[in-house]
Structures are given as structure tokens and as C-alpha cells.
Amino acid sequence: MKWFERFREGNENLDGEIEEEEREVDRDERKSPQMIPIGGGSYGNAFRLENYEPPIAMKEVNYSSNLVDQSNEMKILKELVHENIVRYIDQPIDFDYNGEKFPIFMEYCEEGSLRNVIADVTLNYSVSTIIKWAKEIFNALIYLKGERIAHRDVKPGNIFVTRDFELKLGDFGVFTRFENGKEMRIEEIGTRFYMAPELNGDITKLTEEDIYQCDIYASGLVLWEIVTRDTLSSSSLSTLQFPSTTSTDVRQLLDLIQRCSSPNISIKKRATVEEAMRETKLLIERFTNFIEKPYRNRNQKHLMIPDAACALFPNQLICALIKEKLLM
């Protein structure tokens, strides 16, 4: 350190004190990073570990009754490398974990979950943002399908948002991986509102492709929440309605969401992830006039419908009524 060097010159009496101070600095640098709570859920609590670049998040989960299976599952997750998948990593070598649960380490997404973003009254986004996020969600599912993995619990709370507002699918607590020569065991797992209707029936009849379709069903519901800035309920889930629109481009977006998640469309007729991605890419080209990146208004006190939303509806009166509903 430069100030040490300046004082050493011509003053050898300070050497002992300086060396002791340098040892104190070294000891401080070796201290385990502090764990800052950032959330939690039914599967465990989450923390941000200080002083890492890039930032690291850690989640505590209960130990499985089969530690070999739990370790193998973590090995699978660490092999997933994709821009729209939360990256799972090894425990940092300088971090000592003294808890009683199973720690999972992953990249940290600064904006938290998509659930928080949708509900953030200071944050505004546009139709262009929605289509970009749709592409990122479908992109993650296409990658997972290529790896023969179904997430099984797609919802806003399990999708994370970076500082640049890019989406990453994470929290693979109940994922299913399909393997040749291994008996396919399908369980009724996930979050109730986001579970496809077929999971409430005879699940022994479901195929591998059907399970991927269940993730698409949940993804469409996530997009419904992004569009409406509302949360799912029993009544909204039964109809999945949108306000009417005179815009054919917007209607195509809403129709796509319906074909992913309408309870009135059978699993065999719902949009596949490949079809959803193709339509989303076409829609991106039609909304280039709108700002894609979300922006904040710190003085804003209420949720606002997505920018350009008045273009979604046939007249200003309906637009005003919808805004009034969201501000209640």
C-alpha cells in the first residue's frame, strides 16, 4: 500500500506496526462474505453474498431423503448454460457455510423476481417489453426441451430479472429430466394456479411432450400477468380474458397467450414452444416504435398499464376505465 511505503522511507520504527496492520487487512479479506436476505418461499430462503463480482446468490433448501439424487440433480443444473437460464455454480472456495440446510449457489439477478417487477409501482414497460420477455421465456423452454428437461413450476416468482431487465428462468426445485430406458414417472407437482388442467386428471396417460406443454401453459399465464399487471385468481383463470382491441398486431399477441393457456383448449391443440417462438419473433418486428427497456418513475404511486396500452383498446374511455381499475 502506497502510504505504507511513504512512511517506511526514513522511519524504520514503523515497520512492526505496519506489518501488523497489513496482517489485519489480510484477515479481514479472508472473512466469509455476509449473507443478505433477499427472499424466500416454500422451498427455502435466499440470500445475496456480499463482495463477489459477478454477484452470487445462495438458496437454502432441505436435505433430500436421497442425498445421491440431490447431488445428481445439482450436477445436472450446473451443466445448464443458457442466457435465459439462471446459472448454477459451485460454492465459492472462500465462503464457509455453517447452516444446517443444503446450500445452492447461483448467479444473482439484481431486479429480483418477475413477480416483484410486475408489482413495482415505480416501474413502467411497453408492449415491446412484453414481447421481448415472451421471447426470453420461450427461448429458455426451447433450450430445456433440447436437454429433455421440464421445469414443472414456471411462474413469475421463479423467473428472475437482471439489472438490464433480461429474464432468466430459475428455481428448478421440482424439475423433471427424461432419459431413455428409464421409466417415466410423472407426479402432480408445481404451483396450483399454474398447473395445466391435465395434471388434475389421469397423469399416467401424459407423454413427455405433454409435460413440456404444461410448461407452455404456465408460461402463457405468466404473460397474462405481465400484460394485465394483475395476479391470477380462480375467476381470471377460468376465463383468461383480455379487453377487446382494434389492433390486429396486439390481437395476435393476446391470441397467442390464449392458445398457450386457455383452459378451453386441449393439451394437444395448444401452441408448442416452437410455434410460440416463431410468432413472437414476428411480433417483435411490429412493435419497434415502442421503448423496449423498462424505466422507472420514482414519484409514481400506482401501477400503470404497459406503455402504448391505449393502442390496445378501441377508445380512450375504455383505456381510462382500465387504468382506474389498476389504480384501485
mmCIF file of all heavy atoms in Angstrom, residues 173-212:
data_model
loop_
_atom_site.group_PDB
_atom_site.id
_atom_site.type_symbol
_atom_site.label_atom_id
_atom_site.label_comp_id
_atom_site.label_asym_id
_atom_site.label_seq_id
_atom_site.Cartn_x
_atom_site.Cartn_y
_atom_site.Cartn_z
ATOM 1 N N GLY A 173 -36.658 -26.445 -8.456
ATOM 2 C CA GLY A 173 -36.846 -27.330 -7.306
ATOM 3 C C GLY A 173 -37.595 -28.608 -7.600
ATOM 4 O O GLY A 173 -37.452 -29.593 -6.871
ATOM 5 N N VAL A 174 -38.415 -28.618 -8.666
ATOM 6 C CA VAL A 174 -39.226 -29.819 -8.948
ATOM 7 C C VAL A 174 -39.099 -30.249 -10.409
ATOM 8 O O VAL A 174 -40.011 -30.846 -10.972
ATOM 9 C CB VAL A 174 -40.709 -29.569 -8.592
ATOM 10 C CG1 VAL A 174 -40.882 -29.394 -7.092
ATOM 11 C CG2 VAL A 174 -41.268 -28.356 -9.334
ATOM 12 N N PHE A 175 -37.974 -29.961 -11.034
ATOM 13 C CA PHE A 175 -37.831 -30.259 -12.461
ATOM 14 C C PHE A 175 -37.845 -31.763 -12.726
ATOM 15 O O PHE A 175 -37.566 -32.591 -11.855
ATOM 16 C CB PHE A 175 -36.559 -29.626 -13.017
ATOM 17 C CG PHE A 175 -35.280 -30.364 -12.701
ATOM 18 C CD1 PHE A 175 -34.765 -31.297 -13.588
ATOM 19 C CD2 PHE A 175 -34.579 -30.122 -11.515
ATOM 20 C CE1 PHE A 175 -33.583 -31.975 -13.314
ATOM 21 C CE2 PHE A 175 -33.405 -30.788 -11.224
ATOM 22 C CZ PHE A 175 -32.898 -31.722 -12.122
ATOM 23 N N THR A 176 -38.174 -32.101 -13.969
ATOM 24 C CA THR A 176 -38.160 -33.494 -14.419
ATOM 25 C C THR A 176 -37.212 -33.620 -15.601
ATOM 26 O O THR A 176 -37.284 -32.812 -16.537
ATOM 27 C CB THR A 176 -39.569 -33.946 -14.854
ATOM 28 O OG1 THR A 176 -40.454 -33.904 -13.731
ATOM 29 C CG2 THR A 176 -39.536 -35.374 -15.410
ATOM 30 N N ARG A 177 -36.333 -34.624 -15.530
ATOM 31 C CA ARG A 177 -35.466 -34.910 -16.673
ATOM 32 C C ARG A 177 -35.823 -36.288 -17.216
ATOM 33 O O ARG A 177 -35.902 -37.262 -16.470
ATOM 34 C CB ARG A 177 -33.989 -34.879 -16.287
ATOM 35 C CG ARG A 177 -33.084 -35.046 -17.511
ATOM 36 C CD ARG A 177 -31.633 -34.921 -17.172
ATOM 37 N NE ARG A 177 -30.846 -34.752 -18.387
ATOM 38 C CZ ARG A 177 -29.532 -34.591 -18.407
ATOM 39 N NH1 ARG A 177 -28.852 -34.562 -17.269
ATOM 40 N NH2 ARG A 177 -28.890 -34.447 -19.534
ATOM 41 N N PHE A 178 -36.033 -36.344 -18.523
ATOM 42 C CA PHE A 178 -36.404 -37.593 -19.164
ATOM 43 C C PHE A 178 -35.155 -38.290 -19.705
ATOM 44 O O PHE A 178 -34.241 -37.638 -20.225
ATOM 45 C CB PHE A 178 -37.392 -37.329 -20.299
ATOM 46 C CG PHE A 178 -38.662 -36.674 -19.834
ATOM 47 C CD1 PHE A 178 -38.833 -35.294 -19.934
ATOM 48 C CD2 PHE A 178 -39.679 -37.419 -19.274
ATOM 49 C CE1 PHE A 178 -39.993 -34.680 -19.488
ATOM 50 C CE2 PHE A 178 -40.860 -36.822 -18.832
ATOM 51 C CZ PHE A 178 -41.007 -35.455 -18.938
ATOM 52 N N GLU A 179 -35.115 -39.595 -19.566
ATOM 53 C CA GLU A 179 -33.971 -40.376 -20.024
ATOM 54 C C GLU A 179 -34.454 -41.633 -20.719
ATOM 55 O O GLU A 179 -35.432 -42.263 -20.305
ATOM 56 C CB GLU A 179 -33.078 -40.755 -18.842
ATOM 57 C CG GLU A 179 -32.489 -39.573 -18.093
ATOM 58 C CD GLU A 179 -31.619 -40.014 -16.920
ATOM 59 O OE1 GLU A 179 -30.639 -40.736 -17.162
ATOM 60 O OE2 GLU A 179 -31.947 -39.645 -15.780
ATOM 61 N N ASN A 180 -33.759 -42.014 -21.775
ATOM 62 C CA ASN A 180 -34.069 -43.255 -22.472
ATOM 63 C C ASN A 180 -33.814 -44.451 -21.555
ATOM 64 O O ASN A 180 -32.840 -44.472 -20.800
ATOM 65 C CB ASN A 180 -33.218 -43.399 -23.732
ATOM 66 C CG ASN A 180 -33.600 -42.367 -24.786
ATOM 67 O OD1 ASN A 180 -34.744 -41.932 -24.851
ATOM 68 N ND2 ASN A 180 -32.642 -41.992 -25.626
ATOM 69 N N GLY A 181 -34.709 -45.406 -21.631
ATOM 70 C CA GLY A 181 -34.526 -46.621 -20.843
ATOM 71 C C GLY A 181 -34.904 -46.483 -19.387
ATOM 72 O O GLY A 181 -34.751 -47.423 -18.616
ATOM 73 N N LYS A 182 -35.387 -45.318 -19.009
ATOM 74 C CA LYS A 182 -35.780 -45.102 -17.624
ATOM 75 C C LYS A 182 -37.280 -44.866 -17.561
ATOM 76 O O LYS A 182 -37.819 -44.089 -18.350
ATOM 77 C CB LYS A 182 -35.030 -43.904 -17.030
ATOM 78 C CG LYS A 182 -35.222 -43.733 -15.529
ATOM 79 C CD LYS A 182 -34.335 -42.601 -15.002
ATOM 80 C CE LYS A 182 -34.506 -42.424 -13.506
ATOM 81 N NZ LYS A 182 -33.654 -41.334 -12.975
ATOM 82 N N GLU A 183 -37.942 -45.531 -16.655
ATOM 83 C CA GLU A 183 -39.387 -45.405 -16.545
ATOM 84 C C GLU A 183 -39.786 -43.948 -16.268
ATOM 85 O O GLU A 183 -39.195 -43.273 -15.425
ATOM 86 C CB GLU A 183 -39.905 -46.294 -15.407
ATOM 87 C CG GLU A 183 -41.417 -46.239 -15.246
ATOM 88 C CD GLU A 183 -41.899 -47.071 -14.063
ATOM 89 O OE1 GLU A 183 -41.040 -47.689 -13.383
ATOM 90 O OE2 GLU A 183 -43.109 -47.091 -13.826
ATOM 91 N N MET A 184 -40.764 -43.456 -17.035
ATOM 92 C CA MET A 184 -41.212 -42.079 -16.885
ATOM 93 C C MET A 184 -42.213 -41.987 -15.742
ATOM 94 O O MET A 184 -43.309 -42.549 -15.806
ATOM 95 C CB MET A 184 -41.845 -41.587 -18.181
ATOM 96 C CG MET A 184 -42.138 -40.096 -18.174
ATOM 97 S SD MET A 184 -42.777 -39.487 -19.757
ATOM 98 C CE MET A 184 -44.442 -40.141 -19.706
ATOM 99 N N ARG A 185 -41.831 -41.305 -14.685
ATOM 100 C CA ARG A 185 -42.706 -41.121 -13.529
ATOM 101 C C ARG A 185 -43.143 -39.663 -13.481
ATOM 102 O O ARG A 185 -42.335 -38.763 -13.291
ATOM 103 C CB ARG A 185 -41.985 -41.502 -12.244
ATOM 104 C CG ARG A 185 -41.651 -42.989 -12.128
ATOM 105 C CD ARG A 185 -40.812 -43.244 -10.881
ATOM 106 N NE ARG A 185 -41.461 -42.703 -9.686
ATOM 107 C CZ ARG A 185 -40.826 -42.581 -8.508
ATOM 108 N NH1 ARG A 185 -39.554 -42.934 -8.391
ATOM 109 N NH2 ARG A 185 -41.482 -42.111 -7.462
ATOM 110 N N ILE A 186 -44.442 -39.455 -13.685
ATOM 111 C CA ILE A 186 -44.994 -38.104 -13.675
ATOM 112 C C ILE A 186 -45.761 -37.886 -12.375
ATOM 113 O O ILE A 186 -46.646 -38.674 -12.031
ATOM 114 C CB ILE A 186 -45.924 -37.870 -14.882
ATOM 115 C CG1 ILE A 186 -45.171 -38.121 -16.189
ATOM 116 C CG2 ILE A 186 -46.486 -36.458 -14.843
ATOM 117 C CD1 ILE A 186 -43.970 -37.243 -16.390
ATOM 118 N N GLU A 187 -45.408 -36.831 -11.668
ATOM 119 C CA GLU A 187 -46.082 -36.503 -10.418
ATOM 120 C C GLU A 187 -46.869 -35.214 -10.582
ATOM 121 O O GLU A 187 -46.555 -34.365 -11.423
ATOM 122 C CB GLU A 187 -45.069 -36.364 -9.284
ATOM 123 C CG GLU A 187 -44.239 -37.616 -9.030
ATOM 124 C CD GLU A 187 -43.204 -37.378 -7.951
ATOM 125 O OE1 GLU A 187 -43.599 -36.944 -6.851
ATOM 126 O OE2 GLU A 187 -42.011 -37.613 -8.204
ATOM 127 N N GLU A 188 -47.883 -35.066 -9.764
ATOM 128 C CA GLU A 188 -48.674 -33.834 -9.761
ATOM 129 C C GLU A 188 -47.968 -32.819 -8.871
ATOM 130 O O GLU A 188 -48.205 -32.732 -7.669
ATOM 131 C CB GLU A 188 -50.090 -34.121 -9.239
ATOM 132 C CG GLU A 188 -51.029 -32.926 -9.354
ATOM 133 C CD GLU A 188 -52.409 -33.224 -8.802
ATOM 134 O OE1 GLU A 188 -52.765 -34.411 -8.668
ATOM 135 O OE2 GLU A 188 -53.131 -32.252 -8.489
ATOM 136 N N ILE A 189 -47.073 -32.062 -9.487
ATOM 137 C CA ILE A 189 -46.268 -31.098 -8.742
ATOM 138 C C ILE A 189 -46.331 -29.736 -9.420
ATOM 139 O O ILE A 189 -46.691 -29.618 -10.584
ATOM 140 C CB ILE A 189 -44.791 -31.555 -8.630
ATOM 141 C CG1 ILE A 189 -44.233 -31.904 -10.016
ATOM 142 C CG2 ILE A 189 -44.650 -32.727 -7.686
ATOM 143 C CD1 ILE A 189 -42.787 -32.317 -9.997
ATOM 144 N N GLY A 190 -45.953 -28.705 -8.671
ATOM 145 C CA GLY A 190 -45.975 -27.354 -9.195
ATOM 146 C C GLY A 190 -46.821 -26.455 -8.302
ATOM 147 O O GLY A 190 -47.189 -26.818 -7.186
ATOM 148 N N THR A 191 -47.141 -25.277 -8.804
ATOM 149 C CA THR A 191 -47.986 -24.322 -8.091
ATOM 150 C C THR A 191 -49.387 -24.373 -8.687
ATOM 151 O O THR A 191 -49.544 -24.264 -9.909
ATOM 152 C CB THR A 191 -47.399 -22.902 -8.204
ATOM 153 O OG1 THR A 191 -46.075 -22.904 -7.656
ATOM 154 C CG2 THR A 191 -48.258 -21.893 -7.448
ATOM 155 N N ARG A 192 -50.386 -24.537 -7.860
ATOM 156 C CA ARG A 192 -51.733 -24.904 -8.305
ATOM 157 C C ARG A 192 -52.257 -24.056 -9.445
ATOM 158 O O ARG A 192 -52.714 -24.573 -10.458
ATOM 159 C CB ARG A 192 -52.707 -24.847 -7.113
ATOM 160 C CG ARG A 192 -54.128 -25.292 -7.455
ATOM 161 C CD ARG A 192 -54.958 -25.416 -6.193
ATOM 162 N NE ARG A 192 -55.132 -24.142 -5.514
ATOM 163 C CZ ARG A 192 -56.123 -23.297 -5.775
ATOM 164 N NH1 ARG A 192 -57.020 -23.600 -6.703
ATOM 165 N NH2 ARG A 192 -56.234 -22.161 -5.111
ATOM 166 N N PHE A 193 -52.227 -22.731 -9.313
ATOM 167 C CA PHE A 193 -52.810 -21.867 -10.339
ATOM 168 C C PHE A 193 -52.132 -22.030 -11.700
ATOM 169 O O PHE A 193 -52.740 -21.748 -12.736
ATOM 170 C CB PHE A 193 -52.740 -20.402 -9.907
ATOM 171 C CG PHE A 193 -53.880 -19.984 -9.021
ATOM 172 C CD1 PHE A 193 -53.714 -18.982 -8.079
ATOM 173 C CD2 PHE A 193 -55.123 -20.589 -9.121
ATOM 174 C CE1 PHE A 193 -54.764 -18.586 -7.261
ATOM 175 C CE2 PHE A 193 -56.183 -20.206 -8.309
ATOM 176 C CZ PHE A 193 -56.006 -19.199 -7.374
ATOM 177 N N TYR A 194 -50.873 -22.442 -11.697
ATOM 178 C CA TYR A 194 -50.105 -22.521 -12.949
ATOM 179 C C TYR A 194 -50.031 -23.944 -13.513
ATOM 180 O O TYR A 194 -49.356 -24.170 -14.509
ATOM 181 C CB TYR A 194 -48.690 -21.972 -12.722
ATOM 182 C CG TYR A 194 -48.691 -20.535 -12.260
ATOM 183 C CD1 TYR A 194 -48.766 -20.230 -10.903
ATOM 184 C CD2 TYR A 194 -48.655 -19.493 -13.167
ATOM 185 C CE1 TYR A 194 -48.800 -18.911 -10.466
ATOM 186 C CE2 TYR A 194 -48.686 -18.173 -12.746
ATOM 187 C CZ TYR A 194 -48.756 -17.887 -11.383
ATOM 188 O OH TYR A 194 -48.798 -16.583 -10.969
ATOM 189 N N MET A 195 -50.718 -24.864 -12.885
ATOM 190 C CA MET A 195 -50.696 -26.253 -13.332
ATOM 191 C C MET A 195 -51.734 -26.473 -14.427
ATOM 192 O O MET A 195 -52.890 -26.075 -14.287
ATOM 193 C CB MET A 195 -50.952 -27.192 -12.151
ATOM 194 C CG MET A 195 -49.823 -27.212 -11.138
ATOM 195 S SD MET A 195 -50.234 -28.120 -9.620
ATOM 196 C CE MET A 195 -50.491 -29.769 -10.276
ATOM 197 N N ALA A 196 -51.330 -27.103 -15.520
ATOM 198 C CA ALA A 196 -52.247 -27.383 -16.618
ATOM 199 C C ALA A 196 -53.385 -28.281 -16.125
ATOM 200 O O ALA A 196 -53.181 -29.128 -15.248
ATOM 201 C CB ALA A 196 -51.494 -28.056 -17.758
ATOM 202 N N PRO A 197 -54.586 -28.107 -16.674
ATOM 203 C CA PRO A 197 -55.732 -28.915 -16.233
ATOM 204 C C PRO A 197 -55.474 -30.419 -16.313
ATOM 205 O O PRO A 197 -55.987 -31.187 -15.489
ATOM 206 C CB PRO A 197 -56.843 -28.494 -17.202
ATOM 207 C CG PRO A 197 -56.449 -27.140 -17.685
ATOM 208 C CD PRO A 197 -54.960 -27.134 -17.707
ATOM 209 N N GLU A 198 -54.663 -30.834 -17.279
ATOM 210 C CA GLU A 198 -54.396 -32.263 -17.459
ATOM 211 C C GLU A 198 -53.686 -32.885 -16.262
ATOM 212 O O GLU A 198 -53.770 -34.098 -16.050
ATOM 213 C CB GLU A 198 -53.577 -32.490 -18.730
ATOM 214 C CG GLU A 198 -54.312 -32.211 -20.024
ATOM 215 C CD GLU A 198 -54.467 -30.737 -20.351
ATOM 216 O OE1 GLU A 198 -53.808 -29.905 -19.684
ATOM 217 O OE2 GLU A 198 -55.250 -30.399 -21.257
ATOM 218 N N LEU A 199 -52.996 -32.066 -15.486
ATOM 219 C CA LEU A 199 -52.303 -32.592 -14.309
ATOM 220 C C LEU A 199 -53.264 -32.925 -13.181
ATOM 221 O O LEU A 199 -52.873 -33.547 -12.194
ATOM 222 C CB LEU A 199 -51.252 -31.581 -13.831
ATOM 223 C CG LEU A 199 -50.060 -31.384 -14.771
ATOM 224 C CD1 LEU A 199 -49.189 -30.231 -14.294
ATOM 225 C CD2 LEU A 199 -49.235 -32.660 -14.872
ATOM 226 N N ASN A 200 -54.500 -32.501 -13.324
ATOM 227 C CA ASN A 200 -55.516 -32.842 -12.331
ATOM 228 C C ASN A 200 -56.287 -34.104 -12.712
ATOM 229 O O ASN A 200 -57.177 -34.536 -11.987
ATOM 230 C CB ASN A 200 -56.503 -31.676 -12.163
ATOM 231 C CG ASN A 200 -55.828 -30.428 -11.630
ATOM 232 O OD1 ASN A 200 -54.982 -30.513 -10.741
ATOM 233 N ND2 ASN A 200 -56.185 -29.281 -12.172
ATOM 234 N N GLY A 201 -55.952 -34.669 -13.874
ATOM 235 C CA GLY A 201 -56.635 -35.870 -14.334
ATOM 236 C C GLY A 201 -55.754 -37.099 -14.197
ATOM 237 O O GLY A 201 -54.953 -37.213 -13.256
ATOM 238 N N ASP A 202 -55.871 -38.000 -15.154
ATOM 239 C CA ASP A 202 -55.086 -39.238 -15.147
ATOM 240 C C ASP A 202 -53.705 -38.941 -15.724
ATOM 241 O O ASP A 202 -53.494 -38.993 -16.936
ATOM 242 C CB ASP A 202 -55.795 -40.313 -15.961
ATOM 243 C CG ASP A 202 -55.089 -41.669 -15.876
ATOM 244 O OD1 ASP A 202 -54.023 -41.731 -15.214
ATOM 245 O OD2 ASP A 202 -55.587 -42.639 -16.482
ATOM 246 N N ILE A 203 -52.762 -38.629 -14.852
ATOM 247 C CA ILE A 203 -51.441 -38.213 -15.317
ATOM 248 C C ILE A 203 -50.636 -39.374 -15.908
ATOM 249 O O ILE A 203 -49.618 -39.147 -16.573
ATOM 250 C CB ILE A 203 -50.634 -37.538 -14.182
ATOM 251 C CG1 ILE A 203 -50.460 -38.481 -12.987
ATOM 252 C CG2 ILE A 203 -51.298 -36.245 -13.751
ATOM 253 C CD1 ILE A 203 -49.639 -37.882 -11.867
ATOM 254 N N THR A 204 -51.077 -40.598 -15.701
ATOM 255 C CA THR A 204 -50.355 -41.738 -16.281
ATOM 256 C C THR A 204 -50.478 -41.759 -17.799
ATOM 257 O O THR A 204 -49.685 -42.427 -18.472
ATOM 258 C CB THR A 204 -50.884 -43.062 -15.709
ATOM 259 O OG1 THR A 204 -52.271 -43.219 -16.066
ATOM 260 C CG2 THR A 204 -50.744 -43.088 -14.191
ATOM 261 N N LYS A 205 -51.457 -41.038 -18.337
ATOM 262 C CA LYS A 205 -51.646 -41.006 -19.789
ATOM 263 C C LYS A 205 -50.823 -39.908 -20.463
ATOM 264 O O LYS A 205 -50.795 -39.823 -21.694
ATOM 265 C CB LYS A 205 -53.133 -40.812 -20.108
ATOM 266 C CG LYS A 205 -54.019 -41.974 -19.672
ATOM 267 C CD LYS A 205 -55.471 -41.715 -20.050
ATOM 268 C CE LYS A 205 -56.356 -42.886 -19.639
ATOM 269 N NZ LYS A 205 -57.787 -42.644 -19.993
ATOM 270 N N LEU A 206 -50.201 -39.055 -19.687
ATOM 271 C CA LEU A 206 -49.432 -37.945 -20.253
ATOM 272 C C LEU A 206 -48.110 -38.429 -20.823
ATOM 273 O O LEU A 206 -47.434 -39.279 -20.246
ATOM 274 C CB LEU A 206 -49.188 -36.871 -19.196
ATOM 275 C CG LEU A 206 -50.433 -36.190 -18.612
ATOM 276 C CD1 LEU A 206 -50.031 -35.164 -17.561
ATOM 277 C CD2 LEU A 206 -51.261 -35.532 -19.711
ATOM 278 N N THR A 207 -47.726 -37.850 -21.950
ATOM 279 C CA THR A 207 -46.455 -38.187 -22.597
ATOM 280 C C THR A 207 -45.392 -37.159 -22.229
ATOM 281 O O THR A 207 -45.681 -36.129 -21.605
ATOM 282 C CB THR A 207 -46.624 -38.199 -24.119
ATOM 283 O OG1 THR A 207 -46.920 -36.855 -24.566
ATOM 284 C CG2 THR A 207 -47.753 -39.134 -24.543
ATOM 285 N N GLU A 208 -44.177 -37.415 -22.646
ATOM 286 C CA GLU A 208 -43.088 -36.451 -22.427
ATOM 287 C C GLU A 208 -43.430 -35.112 -23.076
ATOM 288 O O GLU A 208 -43.239 -34.049 -22.473
ATOM 289 C CB GLU A 208 -41.776 -37.002 -22.997
ATOM 290 C CG GLU A 208 -40.599 -36.064 -22.854
ATOM 291 C CD GLU A 208 -39.300 -36.647 -23.389
ATOM 292 O OE1 GLU A 208 -39.186 -37.900 -23.499
ATOM 293 O OE2 GLU A 208 -38.382 -35.862 -23.696
ATOM 294 N N GLU A 209 -43.949 -35.143 -24.293
ATOM 295 C CA GLU A 209 -44.324 -33.914 -24.985
ATOM 296 C C GLU A 209 -45.417 -33.167 -24.221
ATOM 297 O O GLU A 209 -45.417 -31.935 -24.155
ATOM 298 C CB GLU A 209 -44.807 -34.232 -26.403
ATOM 299 C CG GLU A 209 -45.101 -33.014 -27.258
ATOM 300 C CD GLU A 209 -43.870 -32.162 -27.547
ATOM 301 O OE1 GLU A 209 -42.761 -32.723 -27.629
ATOM 302 O OE2 GLU A 209 -44.036 -30.924 -27.689
ATOM 303 N N ASP A 210 -46.351 -33.905 -23.628
ATOM 304 C CA ASP A 210 -47.413 -33.277 -22.837
ATOM 305 C C ASP A 210 -46.837 -32.498 -21.651
ATOM 306 O O ASP A 210 -47.338 -31.414 -21.310
ATOM 307 C CB ASP A 210 -48.387 -34.334 -22.319
ATOM 308 C CG ASP A 210 -49.214 -34.964 -23.431
ATOM 309 O OD1 ASP A 210 -49.355 -34.342 -24.496
ATOM 310 O OD2 ASP A 210 -49.701 -36.094 -23.222
ATOM 311 N N ILE A 211 -45.813 -33.039 -21.028
ATOM 312 C CA ILE A 211 -45.217 -32.362 -19.865
ATOM 313 C C ILE A 211 -44.542 -31.061 -20.290
ATOM 314 O O ILE A 211 -44.626 -30.040 -19.584
ATOM 315 C CB ILE A 211 -44.229 -33.296 -19.136
ATOM 316 C CG1 ILE A 211 -44.951 -34.546 -18.641
ATOM 317 C CG2 ILE A 211 -43.582 -32.572 -17.955
ATOM 318 C CD1 ILE A 211 -46.144 -34.262 -17.742
ATOM 319 N N TYR A 212 -43.906 -31.060 -21.475
ATOM 320 C CA TYR A 212 -43.357 -29.804 -21.988
ATOM 321 C C TYR A 212 -44.484 -28.799 -22.233
ATOM 322 O O TYR A 212 -44.336 -27.597 -21.983
ATOM 323 C CB TYR A 212 -42.594 -30.034 -23.292
ATOM 324 C CG TYR A 212 -41.392 -30.945 -23.169
ATOM 325 C CD1 TYR A 212 -41.157 -31.946 -24.103
ATOM 326 C CD2 TYR A 212 -40.488 -30.811 -22.119
ATOM 327 C CE1 TYR A 212 -40.056 -32.787 -24.006
ATOM 328 C CE2 TYR A 212 -39.389 -31.644 -21.999
ATOM 329 C CZ TYR A 212 -39.178 -32.631 -22.947
ATOM 330 O OH TYR A 212 -38.095 -33.463 -22.838
#
